[in-house]
Protein backbone atom coordinates (compact mmCIF):
# COMPACT_ATOMS: atom_id res chain seq x y z
CA UNK A 1 0.00 0.00 0.00
CA UNK A 2 2.65 2.51 1.07
CA UNK A 3 6.05 1.35 -0.16
CA UNK A 4 6.01 3.59 -3.26
CA UNK A 5 5.07 6.78 -1.41
CA UNK A 6 8.17 8.97 -1.32
CA UNK A 7 8.98 10.46 2.05
CA UNK A 8 6.20 8.67 3.92
CA UNK A 9 6.81 7.78 7.55
CA UNK A 10 5.44 4.28 7.19
CA UNK A 11 7.49 2.04 9.46
CA UNK A 12 4.21 0.85 10.93
CA UNK A 13 0.54 1.68 10.56
CA UNK A 14 -1.47 2.06 13.74
CA UNK A 15 -4.56 3.89 12.55
CA UNK A 16 -7.01 2.27 10.16
CA UNK A 17 -10.73 2.68 9.62
CA UNK A 18 -13.63 2.87 7.22
CA UNK A 19 -13.80 6.29 5.56
CA UNK A 20 -17.40 6.86 6.63
CA UNK A 21 -16.67 5.89 10.23
CA UNK A 22 -13.55 8.05 10.44
CA UNK A 23 -15.31 11.07 8.95
CA UNK A 24 -18.23 10.64 11.34
CA UNK A 25 -15.82 10.45 14.29
CA UNK A 26 -13.94 13.57 13.16
CA UNK A 27 -17.22 15.43 12.67
CA UNK A 28 -18.32 14.54 16.19
CA UNK A 29 -15.04 15.60 17.80
CA UNK A 30 -14.62 18.78 15.72
CA UNK A 31 -18.31 19.72 16.03
CA UNK A 32 -18.62 19.91 12.24
CA UNK A 33 -21.15 18.40 9.91
CA UNK A 34 -20.25 15.14 8.19
CA UNK A 35 -20.66 16.95 4.87
CA UNK A 36 -17.97 19.47 5.84
CA UNK A 37 -15.59 16.70 6.88
CA UNK A 38 -16.30 14.87 3.62
CA UNK A 39 -15.10 17.98 1.76
CA UNK A 40 -11.90 18.38 3.78
CA UNK A 41 -10.73 14.77 4.16
CA UNK A 42 -9.88 14.25 0.44
CA UNK A 43 -7.48 17.22 0.68
CA UNK A 44 -5.67 15.40 3.49
CA UNK A 45 -5.50 12.11 1.59
CA UNK A 46 -2.44 11.22 -0.48
CA UNK A 47 -3.14 11.35 -4.21
CA UNK A 48 0.34 11.55 -5.75
CA UNK A 49 -0.63 14.61 -7.81
CA UNK A 50 1.09 17.18 -5.59
CA UNK A 51 4.76 16.08 -5.40
CA UNK A 52 5.82 19.37 -3.79
CA UNK A 53 3.54 18.70 -0.83
CA UNK A 54 5.28 16.76 1.93
CA UNK A 55 3.64 13.58 3.18
CA UNK A 56 2.65 15.32 6.40
CA UNK A 57 0.47 17.63 4.30
CA UNK A 58 -1.48 14.60 3.07
CA UNK A 59 -1.25 12.33 6.04
CA UNK A 60 -4.08 9.90 5.17
CA UNK A 61 -3.62 7.03 2.73
CA UNK A 62 -6.56 5.40 0.95
CA UNK A 63 -5.42 1.93 -0.17
CA UNK A 64 -8.67 0.42 -1.41
CA UNK A 65 -11.35 3.10 -1.80
CA UNK A 66 -13.11 2.09 1.44
CA UNK A 67 -10.57 2.60 4.21
CA UNK A 68 -7.96 5.12 5.30
CA UNK A 69 -4.73 4.37 7.12
CA UNK A 70 -2.34 6.73 8.88
CA UNK A 71 1.38 6.24 9.63
CA UNK A 72 2.28 5.73 13.26
CA UNK A 73 4.40 8.91 13.38
CA UNK A 74 1.31 10.96 12.58
CA UNK A 75 -1.27 9.16 14.69
CA UNK A 76 0.85 9.59 17.82
CA UNK A 77 0.45 13.36 17.56
CA UNK A 78 2.53 16.27 16.41
CA UNK A 79 2.55 19.99 15.75
CA UNK A 80 -0.86 20.00 14.17
CA UNK A 81 -1.46 23.75 14.08
CA UNK A 82 1.83 24.43 12.31
CA UNK A 83 1.38 21.54 9.87
CA UNK A 84 -2.19 22.55 9.06
CA UNK A 85 -1.11 26.09 8.17
CA UNK A 86 1.72 24.70 6.03
CA UNK A 87 -0.76 22.46 4.27
CA UNK A 88 -3.15 25.34 3.52
CA UNK A 89 -0.28 27.47 2.20
CA UNK A 90 1.19 24.78 -0.06
CA UNK A 91 -1.69 22.64 -1.25
CA UNK A 92 -2.74 23.71 -4.78
CA UNK A 93 -6.36 23.20 -3.79
CA UNK A 94 -6.19 25.74 -0.93
CA UNK A 95 -3.19 28.05 -1.41
CA UNK A 96 -5.30 30.70 -3.17
CA UNK A 97 -7.32 31.06 0.02
CA UNK A 98 -4.26 31.25 2.28
CA UNK A 99 -3.70 35.00 1.95
CA UNK A 100 -7.35 35.60 2.78
CA UNK A 101 -7.09 33.26 5.76
CA UNK A 102 -3.91 35.02 6.94
CA UNK A 103 -5.81 38.28 7.32
CA UNK A 104 -8.37 36.51 9.52
CA UNK A 105 -5.90 34.83 11.87
CA UNK A 106 -5.43 37.90 14.07
CA UNK A 107 -9.19 38.04 14.55
CA UNK A 108 -8.97 34.51 15.92
CA UNK A 109 -5.92 35.00 18.15
CA UNK A 110 -6.48 38.48 19.64
CA UNK A 111 -9.79 37.83 21.48
CA UNK A 112 -8.23 34.86 23.27
CA UNK A 113 -5.19 36.93 24.25
CA UNK A 114 -7.41 39.81 25.36
CA UNK A 115 -9.34 37.49 27.68
CA UNK A 116 -6.10 36.46 29.37
CA UNK A 117 -4.87 40.03 29.77
CA UNK A 118 -8.14 41.30 31.23
CA UNK A 119 -8.47 38.51 33.80
CA UNK A 120 -6.68 40.27 36.73
CA UNK A 121 -8.46 43.58 36.12
CA UNK A 122 -6.09 44.98 33.53
CA UNK A 123 -7.70 47.39 31.06
CA UNK A 124 -7.06 46.37 27.45
CA UNK A 125 -8.24 47.55 24.04
CA UNK A 126 -7.56 45.98 20.68
CA UNK A 127 -7.01 47.54 17.24
CA UNK A 128 -5.95 50.93 18.60
CA UNK A 129 -5.16 53.44 15.85
CA UNK A 130 -2.16 55.70 16.43
CA UNK A 131 -2.55 58.87 14.37
CA UNK A 132 -0.86 62.21 13.93
CA UNK A 133 -2.54 65.19 12.26
CA UNK A 134 -5.24 62.88 10.95
CA UNK A 135 -2.80 60.41 9.41
CA UNK A 136 -2.52 56.83 10.67
CA UNK A 137 1.03 56.16 11.82
CA UNK A 138 0.51 52.58 13.00
CA UNK A 139 -1.99 50.29 14.70
CA UNK A 140 -1.56 48.68 18.11
CA UNK A 141 -2.94 45.15 18.28
CA UNK A 142 -3.53 45.43 22.04
CA UNK A 143 -3.00 48.46 24.27
CA UNK A 144 -3.10 47.47 27.94
CA UNK A 145 -2.91 49.46 31.17
CA UNK A 146 -2.23 47.74 34.49
CA UNK A 147 -3.48 49.72 37.54
CA UNK A 148 -1.35 47.54 39.81
CA UNK A 149 1.96 49.03 38.70
CA UNK A 150 0.82 51.82 36.39
CA UNK A 151 2.41 50.24 33.30
CA UNK A 152 1.04 51.01 29.85
CA UNK A 153 2.06 48.28 27.40
CA UNK A 154 1.95 48.18 23.60
CA UNK A 155 1.43 44.58 22.49
CA UNK A 156 1.96 43.64 18.85
CA UNK A 157 0.84 40.14 17.89
CA UNK A 158 2.25 37.98 15.09
CA UNK A 159 0.99 34.55 14.02
CA UNK A 160 3.78 32.86 12.06
CA UNK A 161 4.46 29.42 10.63
CA UNK A 162 7.70 27.83 11.77
CA UNK A 163 10.09 27.96 8.78
CA UNK A 164 11.44 25.01 6.81
CA UNK A 165 14.01 26.99 4.83
CA UNK A 166 16.34 29.98 5.08
CA UNK A 167 14.01 32.07 2.92
CA UNK A 168 11.00 31.24 5.10
CA UNK A 169 13.10 32.06 8.16
CA UNK A 170 13.90 35.48 6.70
CA UNK A 171 10.21 36.11 6.11
CA UNK A 172 9.44 35.25 9.74
CA UNK A 173 12.25 37.50 10.95
CA UNK A 174 10.90 40.34 8.81
CA UNK A 175 7.45 39.96 10.37
CA UNK A 176 8.88 39.99 13.90
CA UNK A 177 11.02 43.02 13.10
CA UNK A 178 7.94 44.72 11.67
CA UNK A 179 6.15 44.14 14.98
CA UNK A 180 9.12 45.57 16.88
CA UNK A 181 9.12 48.70 14.73
CA UNK A 182 5.33 49.09 15.07
CA UNK A 183 5.68 48.98 18.86
CA UNK A 184 8.45 51.59 18.76
CA UNK A 185 6.39 53.94 16.60
CA UNK A 186 3.40 53.57 18.90
CA UNK A 187 5.53 54.26 21.98
CA UNK A 188 6.97 57.41 20.41
CA UNK A 189 3.47 58.90 20.22
CA UNK A 190 2.21 57.45 23.50
CA UNK A 191 5.00 59.27 25.34
CA UNK A 192 2.52 62.15 25.19
CA UNK A 193 0.51 61.19 28.27
CA UNK A 194 -2.38 63.43 27.29
CA UNK A 195 -2.61 61.63 23.96
CA UNK A 196 -2.46 58.24 25.66
CA UNK A 197 -5.43 59.25 27.85
CA UNK A 198 -7.39 60.20 24.73
CA UNK A 199 -6.94 56.63 23.50
CA UNK A 200 -7.58 55.02 26.88
CA UNK A 201 -9.63 57.11 29.27
CA UNK A 202 -9.10 54.61 32.11
CA UNK A 203 -5.53 55.86 32.53
CA UNK A 204 -5.43 58.14 35.65
CA UNK A 205 -5.16 61.89 35.22
CA UNK A 206 -1.56 61.73 36.46
CA UNK A 207 -0.77 59.37 33.61
CA UNK A 208 1.00 56.02 33.54
CA UNK A 209 4.15 55.18 35.51
CA UNK A 210 6.04 53.44 32.70
CA UNK A 211 5.59 52.71 28.99
CA UNK A 212 6.77 49.44 27.45
CA UNK A 213 6.33 47.42 24.27
CA UNK A 214 6.40 43.70 23.51
CA UNK A 215 5.83 41.42 20.53
CA UNK A 216 3.83 38.26 21.20
CA UNK A 217 4.33 35.55 18.61
CA UNK A 218 2.03 32.59 18.08
CA UNK A 219 3.30 29.55 16.24
CA UNK A 220 7.06 29.63 16.74
CA UNK A 221 9.95 30.91 18.81
CA UNK A 222 11.72 33.91 17.27
CA UNK A 223 14.58 32.73 15.12
CA UNK A 224 18.21 33.38 15.99
CA UNK A 225 18.53 36.16 13.43
CA UNK A 226 16.39 38.60 15.44
CA UNK A 227 18.63 40.46 17.86
CA UNK A 228 17.62 41.37 21.39
CA UNK A 229 15.91 44.75 21.42
CA UNK A 230 14.12 47.17 23.71
CA UNK A 231 10.93 45.46 22.48
CA UNK A 232 11.33 41.79 23.47
CA UNK A 233 9.79 39.01 21.40
CA UNK A 234 8.09 36.17 23.28
CA UNK A 235 5.80 33.32 22.30
CA UNK A 236 2.13 33.43 23.10
CA UNK A 237 2.58 30.36 25.31
CA UNK A 238 5.37 32.08 27.28
CA UNK A 239 3.19 35.16 27.68
CA UNK A 240 0.24 33.17 29.02
CA UNK A 241 2.37 30.95 31.27
CA UNK A 242 4.09 33.90 32.95
CA UNK A 243 1.36 36.52 32.91
CA UNK A 244 -0.59 35.33 35.95
CA UNK A 245 2.61 34.91 38.00
CA UNK A 246 3.68 38.54 37.55
CA UNK A 247 2.45 41.35 39.81
CA UNK A 248 2.00 43.69 36.86
CA UNK A 249 2.72 44.32 33.20
CA UNK A 250 5.96 46.06 34.15
CA UNK A 251 7.18 42.94 35.93
CA UNK A 252 6.19 40.84 32.90
CA UNK A 253 8.22 43.12 30.63
CA UNK A 254 11.25 42.84 32.92
CA UNK A 255 10.94 39.07 32.85
CA UNK A 256 10.68 39.08 29.05
CA UNK A 257 13.90 41.08 28.87
CA UNK A 258 15.77 38.88 31.34
CA UNK A 259 14.41 35.50 30.14
CA UNK A 260 15.81 33.39 33.02
CA UNK A 261 14.27 30.33 31.35
CA UNK A 262 16.59 30.74 28.38
CA UNK A 263 19.62 31.33 30.59
CA UNK A 264 18.85 28.15 32.52
CA UNK A 265 18.46 26.21 29.27
CA UNK A 266 21.73 27.63 27.92
CA UNK A 267 23.55 26.30 30.98
CA UNK A 268 22.54 22.77 29.97
CA UNK A 269 24.30 22.93 26.59
CA UNK A 270 27.83 23.67 25.37
CA UNK A 271 29.45 24.50 22.04
CA UNK A 272 32.27 22.31 20.77
CA UNK A 273 33.62 20.89 17.53
CA UNK A 274 33.28 17.37 16.23
CA UNK A 275 35.02 15.60 13.37
CA UNK A 276 34.26 12.75 11.00
CA UNK A 277 36.66 10.86 8.73
CA UNK A 278 35.06 10.32 5.32
CA UNK A 279 36.83 9.07 2.20
CA UNK A 280 40.24 10.00 3.57
CA UNK A 281 39.16 13.49 4.60
CA UNK A 282 38.53 14.90 8.05
CA UNK A 283 35.34 16.91 8.28
CA UNK A 284 35.10 19.28 11.26
CA UNK A 285 31.84 20.93 12.24
CA UNK A 286 30.72 23.03 15.22
CA UNK A 287 28.07 21.26 17.27
CA UNK A 288 25.96 21.92 20.36
CA UNK A 289 25.88 19.10 22.88
CA UNK A 290 24.09 18.54 26.14
CA UNK A 291 26.16 18.79 29.31
CA UNK A 292 26.06 15.46 31.08
CA UNK A 293 26.00 16.01 34.80
CA UNK A 294 27.50 13.32 37.04
CA UNK A 295 24.98 11.42 39.10
Amino acid sequence: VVRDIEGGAVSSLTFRGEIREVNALVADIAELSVREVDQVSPLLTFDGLTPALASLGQLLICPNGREVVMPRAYSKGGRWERNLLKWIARNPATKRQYDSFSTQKEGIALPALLAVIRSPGVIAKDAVRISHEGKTMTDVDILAFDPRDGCLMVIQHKWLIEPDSVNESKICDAELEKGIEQARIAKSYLKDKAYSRELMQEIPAAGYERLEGIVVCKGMEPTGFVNETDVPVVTERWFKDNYSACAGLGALYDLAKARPDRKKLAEEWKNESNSWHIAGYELRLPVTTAIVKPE
Side-chain angles (χ1 to χ4, degrees):
V1 171
V2 296
R3 65 176 178 268
D4 295 326
I5 298 178
E6 183 178 353
V10 292
S11 57
S12 63
L13 299 171
T14 59
F15 179 91
R16 179 173 182 167
E18 293 280 345
I19 294 176
R20 288 181 298 177
E21 293 178 359
V22 172
N23 286 358
L25 178 62
V26 172
D28 183 48
I29 295 173
E31 298 182 356
L32 298 171
S33 69
V34 174
R35 182 182 62 82
E36 290 171 321
V37 177
D38 287 342
Q39 291 175 332
V40 173
S41 59
L43 297 173
L44 291 169
T45 304
F46 181 83
D47 58 14
L49 299 178
T50 52
L53 192 65
S55 58
L56 198 54
Q58 292 180 304
L59 67 169
L60 297 176
I61 300 165
C62 185
N64 53 27
R66 298 180 295 101
E67 298 175 301
V68 289
V69 294
M70 182 189 296
R72 174 181 176 82
Y74 304 160
S75 64
K76 290 182 67 177
R79 297 143 79 189
W80 292 104
E81 175 186 293
R82 179 258 194 188
N83 293 331
L84 177 63
L85 292 176
K86 281 282 186 184
W87 165 69
I88 295 173
R90 292 181 176 181
N91 195 317
T94 55
K95 63 182 181 180
R96 288 185 178 180
Q97 288 78 35
Y98 180 72
D99 289 340
S100 174
F101 173 69
S102 296
T103 63
Q104 301 174 35
K105 290 191 296 182
E106 293 300 318
I108 298 171
L110 289 182
L113 190 59
L114 269 172
V116 173
I117 294 172
R118 288 170 173 164
S119 57
V122 175
I123 299 103
K125 296 175 63 176
D126 64 325
V128 178
R129 176 173 171 263
I130 304 295
S131 61
H132 178 66
E133 297 180 349
K135 180 181 178 180
T136 298
M137 308 309 295
T138 191
D139 290 306
V140 176
D141 289 330
I142 297 178
L143 184 63
F145 175 72
D146 196 331
R148 295 173 296 176
D149 60 3
C151 179
L152 180 65
M153 180 174 282
V154 174
I155 302 173
Q156 298 297 138
H157 187 276
K158 298 295 178 184
W159 190 343
L160 305 179
I161 308 176
E162 185 174 342
D164 286 328
S165 66
V166 173
N167 287 336
E168 288 184 358
S169 179
K170 290 180 179 178
I171 293 172
C172 290
D173 287 340
E175 279 296 305
L176 295 175
E177 289 166 353
K178 178 182 177 181
I180 291 170
E181 185 60 23
Q182 288 174 319
R184 286 175 176 160
I185 293 172
K187 286 177 60 181
S188 69
Y189 288 95
L190 291 169
K191 287 179 180 178
D192 184 341
K193 293 187 176 182
Y195 178 61
S196 69
R197 291 194 71 242
E198 291 180 13
L199 297 177
M200 184 172 282
Q201 297 178 357
E202 293 85 353
I203 298 174
Y208 52 78
E209 295 294 327
R210 60 187 292 189
L211 173 64
E212 307 294 357
I214 194 169
V215 174
V216 178
C217 177
K218 181 178 178 65
M220 59 167 286
E221 277 281 3
T223 64
F225 298 104
V226 177
N227 296 322
E228 291 188 16
T229 70
D230 54 313
V231 179
V233 179
V234 299
T235 64
E236 186 175 290
R237 174 170 292 183
W238 184 95
F239 187 95
K240 292 178 178 179
D241 288 346
N242 290 277
Y243 183 69
S244 59
C246 290
L249 285 173
L252 183 70
Y253 172 85
D254 293 337
L255 191 63
K257 286 285 290 180
R259 288 306 294 265
D261 54 325
R262 283 184 177 171
K263 292 180 180 179
K264 181 180 179 182
L265 182 62
E267 294 173 354
E268 299 175 2
W269 297 83
K270 62 180 179 180
N271 295 323
E272 55 185 30
S273 63
N274 207 338
S275 63
W276 294 265
H277 293 273
I278 302 175
Y281 291 91
E282 182 182 20
L283 177 64
R284 294 184 179 182
L285 292 175
V287 296
T288 302
T289 60
I291 298 174
V292 179
K293 297 179 180 180
E295 297 186 7

Short mmCIF file of all heavy atoms in Angstrom, two decimals, residues 188-224:
data_model
loop_
_atom_site.label_atom_id
_atom_site.label_comp_id
_atom_site.label_asym_id
_atom_site.label_seq_id
_atom_site.Cartn_x
_atom_site.Cartn_y
_atom_site.Cartn_z
N SER A 188 6.50 56.04 20.63
CA SER A 188 6.97 57.41 20.41
C SER A 188 5.84 58.41 20.49
O SER A 188 6.04 59.56 20.90
CB SER A 188 7.67 57.50 19.05
OG SER A 188 6.74 57.37 17.98
N TYR A 189 4.63 58.00 20.13
CA TYR A 189 3.47 58.90 20.22
C TYR A 189 2.79 58.80 21.59
O TYR A 189 2.23 59.80 22.08
CB TYR A 189 2.47 58.59 19.11
CG TYR A 189 2.96 59.03 17.75
CD1 TYR A 189 3.62 58.15 16.91
CD2 TYR A 189 2.79 60.35 17.32
CE1 TYR A 189 4.10 58.55 15.66
CE2 TYR A 189 3.25 60.77 16.08
CZ TYR A 189 3.91 59.86 15.26
OH TYR A 189 4.39 60.27 14.04
N LEU A 190 2.84 57.63 22.19
CA LEU A 190 2.21 57.45 23.50
C LEU A 190 3.02 58.09 24.63
O LEU A 190 2.55 58.15 25.76
CB LEU A 190 2.00 55.96 23.78
CG LEU A 190 0.95 55.28 22.89
CD1 LEU A 190 1.02 53.76 23.07
CD2 LEU A 190 -0.44 55.79 23.20
N LYS A 191 4.24 58.53 24.33
CA LYS A 191 5.00 59.27 25.34
C LYS A 191 4.26 60.54 25.75
O LYS A 191 4.46 61.06 26.85
CB LYS A 191 6.39 59.63 24.80
CG LYS A 191 7.33 58.44 24.71
CD LYS A 191 8.69 58.85 24.16
CE LYS A 191 9.63 57.66 24.08
NZ LYS A 191 10.95 58.03 23.50
N ASP A 192 3.42 61.04 24.86
CA ASP A 192 2.52 62.15 25.19
C ASP A 192 1.39 61.59 26.05
O ASP A 192 0.47 60.96 25.54
CB ASP A 192 1.98 62.77 23.90
CG ASP A 192 1.10 63.99 24.16
OD1 ASP A 192 0.61 64.15 25.30
OD2 ASP A 192 0.89 64.77 23.21
N LYS A 193 1.48 61.81 27.35
CA LYS A 193 0.51 61.19 28.27
C LYS A 193 -0.91 61.69 28.03
O LYS A 193 -1.88 60.94 28.23
CB LYS A 193 0.93 61.42 29.71
CG LYS A 193 2.22 60.70 30.09
CD LYS A 193 2.52 60.81 31.57
CE LYS A 193 3.76 60.00 31.93
NZ LYS A 193 4.07 60.04 33.38
N ALA A 194 -1.04 62.92 27.59
CA ALA A 194 -2.38 63.43 27.29
C ALA A 194 -2.97 62.67 26.11
O ALA A 194 -4.17 62.32 26.11
CB ALA A 194 -2.30 64.92 26.99
N TYR A 195 -2.14 62.39 25.12
CA TYR A 195 -2.61 61.63 23.96
C TYR A 195 -2.97 60.20 24.36
O TYR A 195 -3.97 59.65 23.89
CB TYR A 195 -1.54 61.62 22.87
CG TYR A 195 -1.92 60.82 21.65
CD1 TYR A 195 -3.03 61.15 20.88
CD2 TYR A 195 -1.18 59.71 21.25
CE1 TYR A 195 -3.39 60.42 19.76
CE2 TYR A 195 -1.52 58.97 20.13
CZ TYR A 195 -2.62 59.33 19.39
OH TYR A 195 -2.99 58.60 18.28
N SER A 196 -2.16 59.61 25.22
CA SER A 196 -2.46 58.24 25.66
C SER A 196 -3.79 58.18 26.39
O SER A 196 -4.53 57.20 26.26
CB SER A 196 -1.33 57.71 26.55
OG SER A 196 -1.31 58.39 27.79
N ARG A 197 -4.14 59.24 27.14
CA ARG A 197 -5.43 59.25 27.85
C ARG A 197 -6.59 59.45 26.89
O ARG A 197 -7.71 59.02 27.17
CB ARG A 197 -5.43 60.34 28.92
CG ARG A 197 -4.49 60.05 30.09
CD ARG A 197 -4.77 60.96 31.29
NE ARG A 197 -6.04 60.60 31.94
CZ ARG A 197 -7.08 61.43 32.03
NH1 ARG A 197 -7.04 62.65 31.52
NH2 ARG A 197 -8.18 61.03 32.65
N GLU A 198 -6.34 60.09 25.74
CA GLU A 198 -7.39 60.20 24.73
C GLU A 198 -7.74 58.82 24.17
O GLU A 198 -8.90 58.53 23.88
CB GLU A 198 -6.93 61.12 23.60
CG GLU A 198 -6.81 62.59 23.99
CD GLU A 198 -6.34 63.43 22.81
OE1 GLU A 198 -6.37 62.91 21.66
OE2 GLU A 198 -5.93 64.58 23.03
N LEU A 199 -6.72 57.97 24.04
CA LEU A 199 -6.94 56.63 23.50
C LEU A 199 -7.50 55.68 24.54
O LEU A 199 -8.22 54.74 24.22
CB LEU A 199 -5.62 56.07 22.95
CG LEU A 199 -4.99 56.83 21.79
CD1 LEU A 199 -3.66 56.21 21.41
CD2 LEU A 199 -5.92 56.85 20.58
N MET A 200 -7.12 55.89 25.81
CA MET A 200 -7.58 55.02 26.88
C MET A 200 -7.92 55.89 28.09
O MET A 200 -7.04 56.28 28.87
CB MET A 200 -6.50 53.99 27.23
CG MET A 200 -6.93 52.99 28.28
SD MET A 200 -5.70 51.65 28.50
CE MET A 200 -6.06 50.62 27.07
N GLN A 201 -9.18 56.18 28.23
CA GLN A 201 -9.63 57.11 29.27
C GLN A 201 -9.46 56.54 30.68
O GLN A 201 -9.50 57.28 31.67
CB GLN A 201 -11.09 57.49 29.04
CG GLN A 201 -11.30 58.23 27.73
CD GLN A 201 -12.76 58.56 27.47
OE1 GLN A 201 -13.65 58.19 28.25
NE2 GLN A 201 -13.03 59.25 26.37
N GLU A 202 -9.26 55.22 30.79
CA GLU A 202 -9.10 54.61 32.11
C GLU A 202 -7.75 54.94 32.75
O GLU A 202 -7.54 54.72 33.94
CB GLU A 202 -9.24 53.09 32.01
CG GLU A 202 -10.64 52.61 31.63
CD GLU A 202 -10.87 52.61 30.12
OE1 GLU A 202 -10.00 53.11 29.39
OE2 GLU A 202 -11.93 52.13 29.69
N ILE A 203 -6.81 55.45 31.97
CA ILE A 203 -5.53 55.86 32.53
C ILE A 203 -5.76 57.04 33.47
O ILE A 203 -6.45 58.00 33.10
CB ILE A 203 -4.53 56.24 31.41
CG1 ILE A 203 -4.25 55.04 30.52
CG2 ILE A 203 -3.23 56.79 32.00
CD1 ILE A 203 -3.39 55.35 29.32
N PRO A 204 -5.20 57.04 34.69
CA PRO A 204 -5.43 58.14 35.65
C PRO A 204 -4.98 59.49 35.10
O PRO A 204 -4.16 59.56 34.18
CB PRO A 204 -4.60 57.73 36.86
CG PRO A 204 -4.38 56.27 36.72
CD PRO A 204 -4.36 55.98 35.25
N ALA A 205 -5.50 60.54 35.67
CA ALA A 205 -5.16 61.89 35.22
C ALA A 205 -3.66 62.15 35.32
O ALA A 205 -3.09 62.90 34.51
CB ALA A 205 -5.93 62.92 36.05
N ALA A 206 -3.01 61.54 36.30
CA ALA A 206 -1.56 61.73 36.46
C ALA A 206 -0.78 60.98 35.40
O ALA A 206 0.43 61.20 35.24
CB ALA A 206 -1.13 61.26 37.85
N GLY A 207 -1.44 60.12 34.66
CA GLY A 207 -0.77 59.37 33.61
C GLY A 207 -0.24 58.03 34.09
O GLY A 207 -0.41 57.65 35.24
N TYR A 208 0.41 57.32 33.21
CA TYR A 208 1.00 56.02 33.54
C TYR A 208 2.36 56.21 34.21
O TYR A 208 2.97 57.28 34.13
CB TYR A 208 1.14 55.15 32.29
CG TYR A 208 1.85 55.84 31.15
CD1 TYR A 208 3.24 55.97 31.15
CD2 TYR A 208 1.15 56.38 30.09
CE1 TYR A 208 3.91 56.62 30.13
CE2 TYR A 208 1.81 57.04 29.05
CZ TYR A 208 3.18 57.16 29.08
OH TYR A 208 3.84 57.81 28.07
N GLU A 209 2.85 55.13 34.84
CA GLU A 209 4.15 55.18 35.51
C GLU A 209 5.29 54.80 34.57
O GLU A 209 6.40 55.32 34.66
CB GLU A 209 4.16 54.25 36.72
CG GLU A 209 3.19 54.65 37.83
CD GLU A 209 3.57 55.97 38.47
OE1 GLU A 209 4.80 56.26 38.57
OE2 GLU A 209 2.66 56.72 38.86
N ARG A 210 5.02 53.87 33.67
CA ARG A 210 6.04 53.44 32.70
C ARG A 210 5.36 52.99 31.43
O ARG A 210 4.19 52.58 31.43
CB ARG A 210 6.94 52.34 33.28
CG ARG A 210 6.20 51.07 33.70
CD ARG A 210 7.12 50.08 34.41
NE ARG A 210 8.12 49.50 33.53
CZ ARG A 210 8.92 48.49 33.89
NH1 ARG A 210 8.84 47.97 35.11
NH2 ARG A 210 9.81 48.00 33.03
N LEU A 211 6.12 53.06 30.31
CA LEU A 211 5.59 52.71 28.99
C LEU A 211 6.52 51.68 28.37
O LEU A 211 7.71 51.92 28.23
CB LEU A 211 5.53 53.97 28.11
CG LEU A 211 5.16 53.79 26.64
CD1 LEU A 211 3.73 53.24 26.51
CD2 LEU A 211 5.30 55.11 25.89
N GLU A 212 5.96 50.52 28.01
CA GLU A 212 6.77 49.44 27.45
C GLU A 212 6.09 48.86 26.21
O GLU A 212 4.90 49.10 25.97
CB GLU A 212 6.98 48.33 28.49
CG GLU A 212 7.54 48.78 29.82
CD GLU A 212 8.96 49.32 29.74
OE1 GLU A 212 9.55 49.29 28.63
OE2 GLU A 212 9.49 49.77 30.78
N GLY A 213 6.85 48.09 25.45
CA GLY A 213 6.33 47.42 24.27
C GLY A 213 6.83 45.99 24.20
O GLY A 213 7.94 45.68 24.67
N ILE A 214 6.03 45.12 23.61
CA ILE A 214 6.40 43.70 23.51
C ILE A 214 5.74 43.12 22.27
O ILE A 214 4.66 43.57 21.84
CB ILE A 214 5.96 42.95 24.79
CG1 ILE A 214 6.62 41.58 24.89
CG2 ILE A 214 4.45 42.82 24.86
CD1 ILE A 214 6.42 40.92 26.25
N VAL A 215 6.40 42.15 21.66
CA VAL A 215 5.83 41.42 20.53
C VAL A 215 5.52 40.01 20.99
O VAL A 215 6.39 39.31 21.51
CB VAL A 215 6.79 41.38 19.33
CG1 VAL A 215 6.23 40.50 18.21
CG2 VAL A 215 7.04 42.78 18.79
N VAL A 216 4.27 39.60 20.82
CA VAL A 216 3.83 38.26 21.20
C VAL A 216 3.63 37.46 19.92
O VAL A 216 2.87 37.85 19.05
CB VAL A 216 2.53 38.30 22.03
CG1 VAL A 216 2.08 36.89 22.38
CG2 VAL A 216 2.74 39.12 23.30
N CYS A 217 4.32 36.34 19.83
CA CYS A 217 4.33 35.55 18.61
C CYS A 217 3.66 34.20 18.84
O CYS A 217 4.03 33.46 19.74
CB CYS A 217 5.76 35.35 18.13
SG CYS A 217 5.89 34.32 16.67
N LYS A 218 2.69 33.90 18.02
CA LYS A 218 2.03 32.59 18.08
C LYS A 218 2.57 31.73 16.95
O LYS A 218 2.69 32.18 15.82
CB LYS A 218 0.51 32.75 17.92
CG LYS A 218 -0.27 31.45 17.99
CD LYS A 218 -1.76 31.73 17.88
CE LYS A 218 -2.58 30.44 17.89
NZ LYS A 218 -2.47 29.71 19.16
N GLY A 219 2.92 30.49 17.28
CA GLY A 219 3.30 29.55 16.24
C GLY A 219 4.76 29.16 16.22
O GLY A 219 5.10 28.13 15.69
N MET A 220 5.64 29.97 16.81
CA MET A 220 7.06 29.63 16.74
C MET A 220 7.84 30.53 17.69
O MET A 220 7.41 31.60 18.06
CB MET A 220 7.61 29.83 15.33
CG MET A 220 7.46 31.25 14.81
SD MET A 220 8.41 31.58 13.34
CE MET A 220 10.05 31.69 14.02
N GLU A 221 9.02 30.06 18.09
CA GLU A 221 9.95 30.91 18.81
C GLU A 221 10.60 31.85 17.80
O GLU A 221 10.76 31.50 16.64
CB GLU A 221 11.04 30.07 19.50
CG GLU A 221 10.61 29.50 20.83
CD GLU A 221 10.68 30.52 21.96
OE1 GLU A 221 11.01 31.69 21.68
OE2 GLU A 221 10.38 30.15 23.10
N PRO A 222 10.99 33.06 18.20
CA PRO A 222 11.72 33.91 17.27
C PRO A 222 13.02 33.25 16.85
O PRO A 222 13.68 32.59 17.66
CB PRO A 222 11.98 35.18 18.09
CG PRO A 222 11.86 34.74 19.52
CD PRO A 222 10.83 33.66 19.53
N THR A 223 13.37 33.38 15.60
CA THR A 223 14.58 32.73 15.12
C THR A 223 15.81 33.47 15.60
O THR A 223 15.74 34.60 16.06
CB THR A 223 14.58 32.68 13.58
OG1 THR A 223 14.62 34.02 13.09
CG2 THR A 223 13.35 32.00 13.05
N GLY A 224 16.98 32.82 15.46
CA GLY A 224 18.21 33.38 15.99
C GLY A 224 18.70 34.62 15.29
O GLY A 224 19.65 35.24 15.74
#
